[in-house]
């Protein structure tokens, strides 16, 4: 028997697709292969078994091979795992920096419309049409003992259907969707799943009952994993399990929906099979009770270019079939039975929205200066050289946040100083004289690195991440600083440290910069910090004396202030950077920065939220660094504001009790 210890490299861990790559590879060998993760052990040839390991990015696993070809099997598995199990093409953009659409909290319509149901935008856009309520099948009403064909035949037919669905999606160029059905087919070849069903039928259970019980148990196991992406795969298993059951019991295939007119689909949740059962030409959009930003429906809706909202109140499902609705995914709202006046207003709003974007794009070159003369820099958040090119196309004033993680994640060894230098230099040159704020690697904890052994942490967001990791791994830190400092003479680079929580950290980090600057004989560069930990905001007056600028990381600042995991789908609606507690920390930071003559930027998602822009400017923010496509529209919005109006507005916001009150305040201000 041979063993191998490895770290999972791909960002989303062993979820459906990478697990499939691993399982398929394992199946090519005769030897028995087991994977151990923490206390769980899985058969490497069983997809479900591998999924239930709950191995996420950075997880340490032990592979055990036992049999004639064990050596070759381990070598091939090691190679595949280190290469990311097909999860990311070499040079692909890292998924972690992909912006989640912020449309949810942006274009708020008048929320006092009777019957309006609030949700969270999962895919932007607007639609009007009749509602179609999609209901999941109630299996408790079926006679599970009444199998029409043998289970093996039902599984074979399901596989054939899935292969056809895969072809259909691939034929339409929907690669991600095609891959989902391919993964479903793999689930049906799972030896452990089939063995378990056989054990139960052998003990006297009918095929239908045994199948449903095993599927449900395994799905629950996967759903219970402490990982949003992996636990979403439980839906995959249920979906494919129900497909087989339908065939086994001779139930009709779910009918394709062919309404006379296109519909807005309302549902508790939607599986990939549910979605595929609809004729896309007859779908205007989706409104779901469950689901989050990483759910299948969000991915599918975005790929189909259809608006979608999630987290809508369940009362939506009681609406009558055919109820005329407005789906406003930009605002995260569904309006049933709109009055003709509301409908007309909505259509106007939609046209205005389209027009506003067109105009903003046309005027993107103009600076963002308020009506009373205050210049606000509107720069872009970037995560690669390609982003820098796009930021220039959108006329960004600079890069307010360069997330350098893309250089460090998803690889087996650290990038060399020269490799980093080349990337920073290319970005500096692309941005010409425009400033680029290079954030030193914000990794560790929630974004572990294969080449830095770290003990598992119970709370990675509260663990050794950001500057904490840099300071405990000085060689890696020094190398990055040298690369940035050497590239600085090719453009305008500034350095920023993430996760600073007190003065000692910034002093230590600055000492590293100075030491390396002298070593490479580089000119001095500006040094700033992210203010994203509440302690940094509360001590902003002390920190301001140590730095050239602050940049408010409102994503983390909101997470830490409200004690809400930023990736928690169930808390998404409450995760609001316009919470007065967060605003008070922003106000304190801005005040301290200006007291010491320092600049204060915002680089969290809040900066692209149109309802937040007036408040942030009113609180004295000097620069907004936003997602690249938002640059022109934010610039246009700043040009329409005046300091004389937004300063008192911001003061009022600080006196609000809830984020909803703040949003209402700004909505009234805009009206
Ligand atoms: C933030 O926390 O607001 C931020 C911009 O950093 P990141 O999203 O990369 O953590
Ligand atoms: Mg952050």
């Amino acid at each position: 028997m041979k063993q191998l210890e490895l770290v999972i490299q791909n960002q989303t861990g062993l979820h459906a697709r990478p697990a499939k790559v691993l399982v398929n590879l394992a199946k090519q060998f005769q030897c028995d292969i087991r994977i151990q993760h923490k206390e769980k052990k899985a058969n490497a040839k069983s997809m479900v078994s591998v999924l239930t390991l709950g191995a996420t990015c950075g997880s340490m696993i032990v592979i055990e091979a036992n049999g004639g070809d064990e050596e070759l099997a381990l070598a091939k598995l090691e190679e595949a795992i280190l290469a990311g199990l097909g999860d990311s093409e070499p040079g692909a953009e890292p998924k972690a920096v992909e912006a989640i659409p912020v449309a949810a909290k942006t274009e708020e319509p008048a929320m006092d419309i009777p019957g309006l149901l609030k949700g969270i935008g999962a895919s932007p856009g607007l639609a009007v049409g009749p509602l179609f309520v999609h209901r999941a099948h109630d299996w408790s009403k079926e006679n599970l003992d009444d199998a029409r064909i043998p289970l093996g035949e039902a599984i074979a037919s399901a596989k054939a259907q899935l292969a056809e669905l895969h072809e259909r999606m691939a034929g339409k160029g929907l690669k991600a969707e095609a891959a989902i059905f391919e993964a479903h087919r793999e689930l049906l070849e799972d030896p452990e799943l089939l063995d378990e069903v056989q054990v139960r039928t052998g003990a006297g259970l009918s095929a239908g009952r045994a199948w449903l019980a095993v599927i449900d148990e395994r799905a629950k196991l996967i759903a219970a994993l402490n990982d949003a992406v992996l636990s979403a795969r439980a839906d995959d298993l249920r979906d494919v399990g129900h497909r087989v059951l339908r065939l086994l019991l001779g139930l009709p295939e779910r009918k394709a929906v062919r309404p006379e007119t296109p519909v807005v689909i309302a549902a508790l949740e939607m599986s990939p099979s549910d979605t595929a059962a609809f004729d896309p030409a007859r779908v205007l959009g989706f409104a779901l009770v469950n689901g989050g930003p990483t759910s299948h429906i969000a991915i599918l809706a975005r790929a189909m270019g259809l608006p979608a909202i999630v987290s809508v109140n369940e009362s939506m499902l009681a609406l009558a079939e055919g109820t005329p609705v407005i789906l406003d995914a930009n605002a995260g709202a569904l309006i049933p039975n709109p009055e003709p006046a509301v409908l007309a207003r909505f259509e106007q709003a939609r046209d205005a929205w389209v027009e506003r974007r067109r105009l903003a794009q046309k005027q993107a070159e103009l600076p963002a200066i308020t009506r009373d003369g205050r210049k606000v820099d509107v720069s872009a958040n970037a995560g690669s050289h390609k982003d820098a090119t796009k930021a220039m196309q959108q006329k960004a004033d600079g890069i307010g946040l360069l997330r350098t993680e893309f250089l460090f994640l998803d690889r087996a060894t650290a990038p060399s100083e020269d490799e980093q230098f080349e990337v920073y230099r290319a970005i500096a040159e692309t941005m010409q004289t425009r400033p680029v704020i290079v954030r030193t690697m914000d990794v560790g904890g929630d974004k572990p690195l294969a080449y830095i052994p770290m003990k598992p942490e119970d709370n990675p967001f509260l663990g050794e991440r950001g500057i904490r990791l840099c300071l405990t791994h000085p060689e890696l830190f020094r190398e990055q600083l040298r690369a940035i400092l050497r590239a600085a003479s090719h453009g305008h680079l500034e350095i920023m440290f993430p996760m600073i929580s007190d003065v000692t950290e910034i002093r230590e980090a600055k000492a590293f910069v100075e030491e390396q600057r002298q070593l490479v004989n580089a000119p001095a560069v500006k040094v700033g910090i992210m203010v994203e930990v509440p302690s940094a905001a509360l001590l902003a007056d002390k920190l301001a004396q140590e730095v050239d600028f602050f940049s408010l990381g409102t994503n983390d600042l909101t997470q830490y202030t409200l004690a809400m995991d930023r990736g928690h789908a169930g808390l998404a609606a409450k995760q609001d950077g316009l919470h007065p507690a967060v605003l008070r920390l922003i106000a304190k930071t801005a005040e301290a920065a200006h007291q010491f003559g320092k600049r204060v930027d915002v680089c969290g998602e809040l900066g692209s939220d149109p309802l937040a822009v007036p408040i942030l400017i009113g609180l004295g923010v000097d620069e907004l660094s936003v997602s690249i496509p938002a640059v022109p529209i934010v610039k246009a919005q700043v040009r329409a504001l005046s300091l004389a109006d937004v300063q008192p507005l911001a003061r009022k916001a600080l006196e609000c009790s809830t984020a909803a009150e703040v949003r209402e305040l700004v909505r009234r201000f805009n009206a």
Side-chain angles (χ1 to χ4, degrees):
M1 188 188 71
K2 288 237 170 329
Q3 270 196 350
L4 178 71
E5 224 177 65
L6 274 177
V7 172
I8 294 296
Q9 306 287 319
N10 44 308
Q11 253 165 358
T12 44
L14 285 182
H15 69 80
R17 274 160 276 163
K20 190 188 83 176
V21 174
L22 189 144
V23 169
N24 279 352
L25 186 59
K27 280 183 187 163
Q28 290 173 17
F29 301 96
Q30 297 297 320
C31 57
D32 182 56
I33 308 174
R34 305 273 146 179
I35 304 177
Q36 171 127 25
H37 173 235
K38 296 186 181 158
E39 70 287 353
K40 291 186 191 160
K41 206 170 207 177
N43 177 352
K45 297 177 184 177
S46 158
M47 175 88 158
V48 177
S49 185
V50 170
L51 284 179
T52 52
L53 284 174
T56 52
C57 178
S59 291
M60 178 73 77
I61 57 167
V62 180
I63 310 181
E64 240 176 55
N66 197 354
D69 51 0
E70 60 189 29
E71 215 150 300
L72 184 63
L74 285 188
K76 290 289 174 200
L77 285 167
E78 178 176 23
E79 196 182 304
I81 290 171
L82 294 180
L85 293 169
D87 208 14
S88 53
E89 297 142 30
E93 306 282 298
K95 293 183 190 74
V97 299
E98 188 183 297
I100 293 176
V102 290
K105 293 173 187 161
T106 57
E107 311 268 326
E108 306 270 350
M111 286 286 155
D112 53 359
I113 296 170
L116 179 144
L117 293 161
K118 269 210 68 55
I120 300 175
S123 172
L126 311 150
V128 180
L131 195 74
F132 177 92
V133 183
H134 168 78
R135 291 179 205 287
H137 194 86
D138 185 356
W139 289 103
S140 67
K141 294 210 173 101
E142 299 296 342
N143 179 0
L144 296 174
D145 302 326
D146 189 21
R148 300 298 165 95
I149 51 173
L151 182 61
E153 228 174 87
I155 292 175
S157 303
K159 279 187 356 201
Q161 283 180 357
L162 288 165
E164 200 236 299
L165 274 166
H166 172 264
E167 288 300 299
R168 197 173 350 134
M169 294 291 165
K172 286 185 196 157
L174 300 172
K175 269 210 253 147
E177 296 69 20
I180 291 172
F181 293 111
E182 173 74 359
H184 280 196
R185 204 172 52 77
E186 293 291 335
L187 284 173
L188 291 179
E189 279 164 8
D190 197 296
E192 292 237 323
L193 200 69
L194 302 177
D195 285 354
E196 187 58 37
V197 175
Q198 244 168 27
V199 168
R200 304 209 186 185
T201 47
L205 217 57
S206 70
R209 284 186 194 282
W211 178 257
L212 189 61
V214 171
I215 292 287
D216 267 356
E217 281 164 24
R218 298 295 165 116
K220 274 189 197 132
L221 266 180
I222 301 176
L225 296 170
N226 193 17
D227 179 288
V229 178
L230 282 181
S231 43
R233 300 293 85 80
D235 297 342
D236 288 334
L237 189 56
R238 286 202 185 93
D239 193 22
V240 79
H242 294 163
R243 179 181 292 279
V244 171
L245 212 51
R246 209 173 269 285
L247 289 158
L248 183 77
L249 303 180
L251 300 175
E253 227 203 299
R254 204 160 308 155
K255 287 196 303 274
V257 181
R258 301 201 187 286
E260 287 297 299
T261 50
V263 291
V264 171
I265 297 172
L268 188 67
E269 56 198 0
M270 286 195 67
S271 66
S273 298
D274 290 334
T275 317
F278 287 93
D279 174 356
R282 308 284 166 98
V283 180
L284 294 166
F286 301 95
L288 303 190
V289 174
N290 294 337
T294 58
S295 59
H296 280 319
I297 192 66
I299 300 167
L300 289 170
R302 283 203 285 267
M304 292 159 101
L306 292 173
I309 61 173
V310 293
S311 285
V312 187
N313 190 288
E314 205 165 350
S315 61
M316 167 179 73
L317 302 180
L319 289 169
E321 208 72 49
T323 303
V325 296
I326 291 173
L327 173 66
D328 186 348
N330 293 348
L334 184 92
I335 307 163
N337 296 311
E339 299 281 332
V342 171
L343 189 60
R345 215 164 72 211
F346 169 81
E347 280 169 348
Q348 241 176 23
R350 177 186 54 190
D351 296 348
W353 182 67
V354 172
E355 180 60 10
R356 218 165 54 238
R357 293 192 78 87
R358 198 187 61 78
L359 270 179
Q361 195 71 45
K362 226 173 111 190
Q363 300 175 349
E365 193 90 60
L366 298 177
I369 301 174
T370 63
R371 288 192 281 118
D372 44 3
R374 167 81 193 281
K375 166 98 163 56
V376 176
D377 286 320
V378 180
S379 52
N381 291 346
S384 63
H385 179 231
K386 206 157 109 198
D387 279 354
T389 311
K390 286 193 213 149
M392 283 300 271
Q393 284 161 359
Q394 295 299 319
K395 317 294 179 200
D397 290 326
I399 290 179
L401 167 64
L402 177 67
R403 290 179 164 110
T404 59
E405 292 84 86
F406 72 100
L407 280 164
F408 294 87
L409 296 166
D410 264 348
R411 52 190 296 161
T413 53
S416 69
E417 179 188 323
D418 281 345
E419 182 184 344
Q420 292 187 59
F421 164 74
E422 288 304 336
V423 177
Y424 304 144
R425 184 180 61 110
I427 293 174
E429 283 174 354
T430 298
M431 296 307 291
Q432 297 159 16
T433 53
R434 298 172 194 224
V436 177
I437 300 179
V438 185
R439 179 175 75 182
T440 56
M441 53 176 180
D442 187 10
V443 293
D446 59 316
K447 295 179 219 160
L449 300 177
Y451 40 92
I452 298 189
M454 279 185 71
K455 291 204 184 79
E457 295 177 316
D458 285 343
N459 294 299
F461 273 123
L462 305 179
E464 201 181 319
R465 60 172 292 213
I467 195 68
R468 299 169 189 175
L469 184 124
C470 291
L471 294 176
T472 50
H473 294 81
E475 269 328 301
L476 211 58
F477 193 35
R478 284 193 179 103
E479 229 164 42
Q480 181 173 36
L481 292 173
R482 279 199 301 277
I484 302 170
L485 288 160
R486 282 171 54 203
S489 54
H490 293 265
H492 177 164
L493 296 190
E494 300 182 6
I495 294 178
M496 174 160 75
F497 302 117
M499 288 287 292
I500 293 282
S501 56
D502 70 18
V503 193
T504 39
E505 284 168 342
I506 177 66
R507 285 188 186 144
E508 265 187 70
K510 275 196 328 189
F512 274 104
V513 174
E514 187 47 27
E515 169 199 282
Q516 296 307 305
R517 192 191 67 75
Q518 287 183 17
L519 199 75
V520 297
N521 199 16
V525 299
K526 286 194 172 159
V527 173
I529 59 164
M530 301 272 299
V531 175
E532 51 186 347
V533 178
S535 65
L538 292 166
L539 287 171
D541 54 337
K542 303 292 173 206
L543 292 162
Q545 300 176 55
E546 303 284 339
V547 297
D548 295 307
F549 64 91
F550 285 151
S551 189
L552 284 146
T554 53
N555 307 337
D556 277 317
L557 188 62
T558 307
Q559 140 163 290
Y560 295 130
T561 305
L562 303 182
M564 286 182 192
D565 183 337
R566 61 191 269 185
H568 195 301
L571 296 173
K574 291 186 175 161
Q575 272 263 351
D576 195 335
L578 279 183
H579 193 291
V582 180
L583 294 182
R584 287 186 185 199
L585 291 176
I586 296 176
K588 201 164 175 60
T589 307
E591 204 179 299
H594 293 157
Q595 187 191 340
F596 292 95
K598 307 291 163 72
R599 198 179 83 221
V600 60
D601 311 340
V602 167
C603 65
E605 291 294 329
L606 196 64
S608 7
D609 181 341
L611 288 186
V613 172
I615 304 278
L616 295 173
I617 307 298
L619 291 176
V621 164
D622 302 295
E623 173 177 319
L624 295 171
S625 188
V626 301
S627 58
I628 300 166
V631 168
I633 199 92
V634 173
K635 277 186 162 185
Q637 192 183 1
V638 171
R639 287 195 289 266
L641 299 172
S642 89
L643 265 195
D645 294 336
V646 293
Q647 281 174 337
L649 177 77
R651 281 196 291 274
K652 277 192 203 151
L654 294 177
E655 293 310 313
C656 286
S657 309
T658 63
E661 271 179 38
V662 176
R663 290 193 175 271
E664 188 49 37
L665 180 78
V666 189
R667 247 177 257 126
R668 272 191 269 118
F669 167 82
N670 284 342

